[in-house]
Amino acid sequence: EIVLTQSPGTLSLSPGERATLSCRASQSVSSSYLAWYQQKPGQAPRLLIYGASSRATGIPDRFSGSGSGTDFTLTISRLEPEDFAVYYCQQYGSSPPNTFGQGTKLEIK
Amino acid sequence: EVQLVQSGAEVKKPGESLRISCKGSGYSFTSYWISWVRQMPGKGLEWMGRIDPSDSYTNYSPSFQGHVTISADKSISTAYLQWSSLKASDTAMYYCARHRRPYDYWGQGTLVTVSS
């Protein structure tokens, strides 16, 4: 089973700043089958990034993903008020389980 | 429009059985896996298992194997998650999500509360 470790646990920033979230895998994630999701209170998760770096439909270009192998990054270039939420990475390679990281809470400073 | 609509909130007692549902519409139900994801109060997302609705082939997380059963009825485009004997620790929000690879559409969640 691939274990995903996200850091930091909580990130305190102001609107307009740049956010960098990290996701490290315990073993290589095949074919960069790594996704990022955003979850706001009381809502289901929403797909942001798939294949490590491809934006999902309707996702603003201030969101970008990068990385390969065991180290992945989600970057939000200029934070908008609606971006403060919890972010999860997930590996969805062909072999289950499709594990999630423990999440990074992005809060307003 | 693709939608996954889940059944409503449930309140149960320990030891009771339960089945919750996830109905897909707006797409070919048998062309995508359905996975179930648990979120305990104030906690993160946990992958429970998945089903291929075309043939009902399932995979389970070792953490949930033997405690839950995932099934599907492709004739009504509905997937199910069921327990035969609930525990207080099953109290959580449960989401279904469709995927071939990334989980692109999610249900709204079903809150299950288990309390004596």
Side-chain angles (χ1 to χ4, degrees), chain A residues 37 39 43-44 90 92 97-98, chain B residues 39 44 47 95 101 103 107:
Chain A
Y37 300 87
Q39 187 180 33
Q43 296 184 17
Q90 182 207 26
Y92 55 92
N98 296 159
Chain B
Q39 188 166 40
W47 187 82
Y95 294 102
R101 292 293 187 186
Y103 293 31

Side-chain angles (χ1 to χ4, degrees), chain A residues 10-81:
Chain A
T10 301
L11 185 57
S12 300
L13 294 170
S14 300
E17 291 193 293
R18 181 184 185 92
T20 302
L21 288 67
S22 174
C23 176
R24 178 161 291 177
S26 60
Q27 55 188 282
S28 183
V29 176
S30 63
S31 303
S32 292
Y33 287 148
L34 191 286
W36 291 92
Y37 300 87
Q38 177 193 67
Q39 187 180 33
K40 297 180 179 179
Q43 296 184 17
R46 177 175 71 145
L47 176 66
L48 297 177
I49 300 288
Y50 64 95
S53 60
S54 297
R55 274 189 301 276
T57 303
I59 301 304
D61 60 7
R62 64 180 181 272
F63 290 90
S64 63
S66 63
S68 64
T70 60
D71 287 294
F72 299 88
T73 300
L74 174 69
T75 301
I76 310 172
S77 58
R78 284 179 55 86
L79 285 165
E80 297 286 344

Side-chain angles (χ1 to χ4, degrees), chain B residues 23-39:
Chain B
K23 182 173 177 61
S25 62
Y27 74 99
S28 173
F29 188 69
T30 55
S31 297
Y32 291 78
W33 293 82
I34 293 286
S35 278
W36 287 94
V37 176
R38 183 176 79 174
Q39 188 166 40

Side-chain angles (χ1 to χ4, degrees), chain B residues 4-99:
Chain B
L4 294 173
V5 178
Q6 297 185 227
S7 50
E10 301 275 1
V11 180
K12 292 289 188 179
K13 291 181 167 49
E16 292 187 330
S17 63
L18 175 64
R19 189 177 77 168
I20 62 175
S21 65
C22 169
K23 182 173 177 61
S25 62
Y27 74 99
S28 173
F29 188 69
T30 55
S31 297
Y32 291 78
W33 293 82
I34 293 286
S35 278
W36 287 94
V37 176
R38 183 176 79 174
Q39 188 166 40
M40 299 179 77
K43 303 298 184 183
L45 305 174
E46 300 174 270
W47 187 82
M48 302 176 70
R50 67 181 185 180
I51 187 164
D52 180 346
S54 67
D55 61 5
S56 290
Y57 177 78
T58 54
N59 298 109
Y60 292 91
S61 164
S63 300
F64 294 93
Q65 179 90 46
H67 187 56
V68 298
T69 301
I70 296 171
S71 60
D73 185 341
K74 62 184 178 182
S75 70
I76 55 171
S77 300
T78 301
Y80 301 98
L81 177 66
Q82 67 182 64
W83 296 259
S84 58
S85 180
L86 286 159
K87 304 175 183 178
S89 58
D90 292 318
T91 294
M93 182 71 81
Y94 293 87
Y95 294 102
C96 64
R98 79 153 200 186
H99 59 100

